[in-house]
Amino acid sequence: MTIQPRLLSDSERIDWLRLIRCENVGPVTFFRLLERFGSAASALAALPDLARRGGRTKPIKICSKARAEAELDDAARLGARAVCSGEPDFPALLAATDGAPPLLYVRGHSSLFGRPCIGMVGARSASAGARQFARKMAWDLGQAGVTVVSGLARGLDTAAHDGSLETGTVAVVAGGVDIIYPPENAGLYHRIVEMGAVVSEMPPGTEPQARHFPRRNRIISGMSAGVVVVEATARSGSLITARYAAEQGREVFAVPGSPMDARAAGPNGLIKDGAVLTQGAGDILDLLDDLLRRPFREPPGERFSGPAPAIPDESALVRARRDVLEALGPIPVTVDEIIRQCQLSPSVVSMILLELELAGRLERHPGHRVSFLPEA
Amino acid sequence: MTIQPRLLSDSERIDWLRLIRCENVGPVTFFRLLERFGSAASALAALPDLARRGGRTKPIKICSKARAEAELDDAARLGARAVCSGEPDFPALLAATDGAPPLLYVRGHSSLFGRPCIGMVGARSASAGARQFARKMAWDLGQAGVTVVSGLARGLDTAAHDGSLETGTVAVVAGGVDIIYPPENAGLYHRIVEMGAVVSEMPPGTEPQARHFPRRNRIISGMSAGVVVVEATARSGSLITARYAAEQGREVFAVPGSPMDARAAGPNGLIKDGAVLTQGAGDILDLLDDLLRRPFREPPGERFSGPAPAIPDESALVRARRDVLEALGPIPVTVDEIIRQCQLSPSVVSMILLELELAGRLERHPGHRVSFLPEA
């Protein structure tokens, strides 16, 4: 069955934005709530009660309609559009990943997301040779109809965008879609807005902070069929992107280098771990058809289009909450493990975890694992 | 069952040398003859008749006892010893390979063959960086008790020997064990004779020719548990060594490099094909125990220690010869294919192929394949 992407109405979009901007609501919780309550509006109505049941004493902070409208207006003034997961302009591969943002701001040409995307990442301190190599590879990928995705950072990212500017390049930024970082890339940023696309999940005006960059990297790998790491030291953020790519079922490509160059340690290590040794765009293009044929999960934006599942009644939940709390600790455990240990139905456990998360007592980790957060 | 290596008597050694120096007798034929006739002396006696039955009209040239003695005397004067396959000083892994020489000349310390050996090969035009890397890697391997084997060539080989000189290095040369090539490596050659070992299968005084180098490379890989390729262009002889190593069941290690450097194309391609990406001696040492535990074939020097198999009678052979000749052509076919097609016993086919080879009408190829040589 082919799933048709659908456009949200203006009021639905505002509700989506309100929900993702609520306190303690991350992307995973967002889609759980949507699944549970059928719409963002119903989820918003249920939030205060859920958080209270999770142990929250102060009322949970809900994003007001006015604030959400103001954010969308800000974005519109900057020429950025808010695109929701499952909408035709939302990157389809990204929508299929765990923890993907429910909403992205886009400046420029979202049609570029519809072509095969390849992420290119690497050291900000990339060597002149690696930059030249990346520029050529990005050019070659572009000529072959591929959209190159990178992070607008210094060094390697800049070279990747440069090389693919003419054919279409996507810059995923860690701050707001209007914040140019690093400042010396202002010229490049404006050319990308004109000829490519700049993407962010953050509200306009957000200054990028260190903690935003891993999420930015997850978007780069999530929207790409594969990610190529050009140069990266052993402790580089590019390796985090590669790890995300692997977790998301994306192909990891790596450009080898001499063991005498510390910036080759990253890609060489990836190749040892199974990444595809890449000597040029050809190595990526050779695999691209296969990559695009891989089964990807259906966009979560569609999973809640049916009737909402029944909500377990409160008497059953009281006892269950105690059991789930007992099963949780500071060490992350899988949700499946909790279900097994508590002998509860998945929907009940899922509900209780949702409540705890909204109360600010649950942290979600990759691999469907969760841990209990001590009171701050 | 553990096979005990055995020492040959002086007269046996002379017979071995005479047999391998006979016209049309290569290493494969040598061991077939030994298998068939039980000793080199009996094989020598049978040669003229075998060659005649294979279609040879002129008598086959047999190496005289005097010539063999003179060759051994020459070697002794140079301080080189002739070591035969299966003897304790013969490299055990080499003895287990197809087409290995029955006899090697050794100058220096053959005890080095008893330690784990790793071949190091690479471009004569290796970059300064790669030479430095190779020297360090050879040093580290040596410190770990590994014997480094290389080819005394310019560039990479020189660096590999340099780095492992103190701990024990083996130079396999393409010409005679007394011929220093290239001449600028004279100093290195003499230090290796003193502290390591120089090895050759050729008679002393033989000038190295292009066709000798592939055989030299097969000895490097054959005596080694693994071979590491440091830098090599896509058409380098080092890649031939790597192919031999793989055919011989040895591990292939390759040091990656930037795709912008043509000398990285060789190792990068090998890594793509499954070679172990190698960033230093540690990557080799990590695998060494496993490599040395691999099952290697028993030395062929032992295969003929039992009673000689019965020789098929001439009447049966007459008809069989015609059938085998019909099955042979200029395109190499496997010996098994001939056996199947002719419906003959393996021993009869083997005998007839031996005759044809001695008559100069058969060429042997890797993978137990043979082809018919038109009359010159």
Side-chain angles (χ1 to χ4, degrees):
Chain A
M1 196 184 84
T2 312
I3 292 156
Q4 293 300 323
R6 67 178 194 106
L7 275 169
L8 266 58
S9 69
D10 285 351
S11 72
E12 275 181 301
R13 196 180 315 280
I14 289 169
D15 288 338
W16 273 49
L17 184 57
R18 287 183 67 194
L19 185 58
I20 188 62
R21 295 284 182 256
C22 282
E23 192 184 13
N24 294 334
V25 176
V28 173
T29 320
F30 178 94
F31 288 110
R32 289 278 146 76
L33 288 166
L34 221 49
E35 226 166 354
R36 173 72 55 194
F37 296 99
S39 72
S42 308
L44 283 165
L47 274 191
D49 196 37
L50 286 170
R52 199 161 39 239
R53 284 190 291 178
R56 170 115 187 162
T57 45
K58 287 190 295 183
I60 187 167
K61 285 179 209 143
I62 307 272
C63 171
S64 70
K65 194 177 167 204
R67 223 186 86 200
E69 283 173 339
E71 185 181 318
L72 289 174
D73 286 348
D74 282 351
R77 260 194 305 277
L78 299 163
R81 283 167 305 124
V83 182
C84 291
S85 184
E87 290 197 299
D89 280 358
F90 196 91
L93 292 190
L94 179 62
T97 62
D98 276 331
L103 183 144
L104 283 178
Y105 288 106
V106 182
R107 278 195 79 179
H109 305 270
S110 56
S111 61
L112 290 172
F113 309 155
R115 306 193 316 188
C117 295
I118 291 290
M120 283 184 68
V121 299
R124 279 186 294 270
S125 66
S127 65
R131 290 175 208 214
Q132 186 190 334
F133 179 85
R135 207 173 290 119
K136 170 76 162 63
M137 183 187 257
W139 167 268
D140 290 341
L141 287 171
Q143 294 300 323
V146 168
T147 297
V148 171
V149 183
S150 195
L152 198 72
R154 292 186 182 95
L156 208 289
D157 288 18
T158 299
H161 289 306
D162 261 352
S164 54
L165 203 54
E166 280 184 31
T167 49
T169 195
V170 173
V172 184
V173 296
V177 77
D178 57 326
I179 304 295
I180 302 175
Y181 180 84
E184 66 263 39
N185 272 353
L188 180 61
Y189 171 93
H190 289 296
R191 283 195 298 277
I192 296 176
V193 167
E194 198 184 318
M195 305 166 73
V198 176
V199 169
S200 170
E201 64 172 315
M202 307 304 286
T206 309
E207 289 292 334
Q209 293 170 22
R211 66 188 167 84
H212 297 149
F213 285 91
R215 288 199 54 82
R216 188 268 314 254
N217 294 348
R218 266 189 93 110
I219 296 176
I220 293 176
S221 57
M223 67 188 290
S224 302
V227 167
V228 52
V229 180
V230 182
E231 272 188 344
T233 57
R235 301 173 63 86
S236 160
S238 302
L239 298 187
I240 300 177
T241 313
R243 183 163 55 78
Y244 289 149
E247 282 171 8
Q248 290 164 340
R250 309 303 192 237
E251 193 61 82
V252 178
F253 298 91
V255 179
S258 163
M260 287 168 291
D261 184 345
R263 289 168 294 198
N268 286 346
L270 291 171
I271 293 167
K272 269 193 153 171
D273 291 345
V276 178
L277 187 147
T278 305
Q279 302 184 84
D283 290 315
I284 296 168
L285 297 171
D286 282 350
L287 282 178
L288 201 61
D289 283 346
D290 285 343
L291 297 185
L292 295 172
R293 264 198 296 270
R294 281 188 188 176
F296 291 106
R297 263 189 25 217
E298 61 188 37
E302 296 305 314
R303 281 181 300 174
F304 42 83
S305 53
I311 298 170
D313 74 61
E314 184 54 27
S315 62
L317 284 172
V318 171
R319 189 189 167 84
R321 271 190 204 105
R322 208 193 53 208
D323 293 349
V324 170
L325 270 175
E326 260 175 35
L328 280 168
I331 311 291
V333 291
T334 65
V335 175
D336 283 350
E337 175 61 24
I338 294 169
I339 291 167
R340 199 194 54 74
Q341 192 177 321
C342 300
Q343 299 282 313
L344 290 166
S345 78
S347 70
V348 167
V349 169
S350 167
M351 185 69 170
I352 292 166
L353 294 177
L354 205 52
E355 293 172 359
L356 287 170
E357 192 176 8
L358 291 171
R361 309 303 302 272
L362 192 87
E363 192 174 359
R364 294 197 189 262
H365 306 271
H368 299 287
R369 290 173 310 138
V370 289
S371 66
F372 190 67
L373 284 172
E375 233 156 340
Chain B
M1 196 185 83
T2 312
I3 292 155
Q4 293 300 322
R6 69 181 192 103
L7 276 168
L8 267 56
S9 70
D10 286 351
S11 73
E12 275 180 302
R13 195 180 317 278
I14 289 168
D15 288 338
W16 274 49
L17 184 57
R18 287 182 66 195
L19 186 56
I20 188 63
R21 295 285 182 255
C22 282
E23 191 184 15
N24 293 335
V25 176
V28 172
T29 321
F30 179 94
F31 288 109
R32 289 279 146 74
L33 288 166
L34 222 50
E35 229 168 354
R36 173 71 54 192
F37 296 100
S39 73
S42 309
L44 283 165
L47 274 190
D49 196 38
L50 286 171
R52 199 161 38 240
R53 285 191 290 179
R56 171 113 187 164
T57 44
K58 287 189 293 183
I60 187 168
K61 285 178 209 143
I62 307 271
C63 172
S64 70
K65 194 177 170 207
R67 223 185 86 199
E69 283 173 338
E71 184 180 317
L72 289 174
D73 286 348
D74 282 351
R77 260 194 306 277
L78 299 163
R81 286 167 305 124
V83 181
C84 290
S85 184
E87 291 197 298
D89 280 358
F90 195 91
L93 292 190
L94 179 63
T97 62
D98 277 332
L103 182 146
L104 283 178
Y105 289 106
V106 181
R107 279 194 80 178
H109 305 270
S110 56
S111 60
L112 290 172
F113 310 154
R115 307 192 317 186
C117 294
I118 291 290
M120 282 184 68
V121 299
R124 280 187 294 269
S125 66
S127 65
R131 290 175 208 214
Q132 185 189 334
F133 180 85
R135 206 173 291 118
K136 171 74 161 63
M137 182 187 257
W139 167 268
D140 289 341
L141 288 171
Q143 294 300 321
V146 168
T147 296
V148 171
V149 183
S150 195
L152 199 71
R154 291 186 184 97
L156 209 288
D157 289 18
T158 298
H161 289 305
D162 261 352
S164 54
L165 203 53
E166 280 184 31
T167 49
T169 195
V170 173
V172 183
V173 296
V177 77
D178 56 325
I179 304 295
I180 302 174
Y181 181 85
E184 66 262 39
N185 272 352
L188 180 61
Y189 171 94
H190 290 296
R191 283 195 298 277
I192 295 176
V193 166
E194 199 183 317
M195 306 167 72
V198 177
V199 169
S200 170
E201 63 172 318
M202 306 305 286
T206 308
E207 290 291 335
Q209 292 169 22
R211 66 189 168 84
H212 297 149
F213 286 90
R215 287 198 56 81
R216 187 269 312 255
N217 294 349
R218 265 189 94 111
I219 297 175
I220 293 175
S221 57
M223 67 188 290
S224 302
V227 167
V228 50
V229 180
V230 182
E231 273 188 345
T233 57
R235 302 173 64 86
S236 160
S238 303
L239 297 187
I240 300 177
T241 313
R243 184 163 53 79
Y244 289 149
E247 281 171 10
Q248 290 163 342
R250 309 302 193 240
E251 194 60 82
V252 179
F253 298 92
V255 179
S258 163
M260 286 167 290
D261 185 346
R263 290 168 293 198
N268 285 348
L270 291 171
I271 293 166
K272 269 194 153 169
D273 291 345
V276 178
L277 187 147
T278 306
Q279 302 184 81
D283 291 314
I284 296 167
L285 297 171
D286 282 350
L287 282 178
L288 201 60
D289 283 346
D290 286 343
L291 297 184
L292 295 172
R293 265 198 295 271
R294 279 189 187 174
F296 291 108
R297 263 189 26 216
E298 59 190 36
E302 295 305 314
R303 280 181 301 173
F304 43 85
S305 53
I311 298 170
D313 73 60
E314 183 54 30
S315 62
L317 284 173
V318 171
R319 189 188 170 85
R321 272 191 204 104
R322 207 194 52 207
D323 293 348
V324 170
L325 271 174
E326 260 175 36
L328 280 168
I331 310 291
V333 291
T334 64
V335 175
D336 283 350
E337 175 61 26
I338 294 169
I339 291 168
R340 200 195 53 74
Q341 193 178 321
C342 299
Q343 299 283 314
L344 291 166
S345 79
S347 70
V348 168
V349 169
S350 168
M351 184 70 169
I352 292 167
L353 293 177
L354 206 51
E355 294 171 357
L356 287 170
E357 191 175 8
L358 292 170
R361 308 303 302 273
L362 191 87
E363 192 173 359
R364 294 195 189 265
H365 305 272
H368 299 288
R369 291 173 311 138
V370 290
S371 67
F372 190 66
L373 284 172
E375 235 154 338

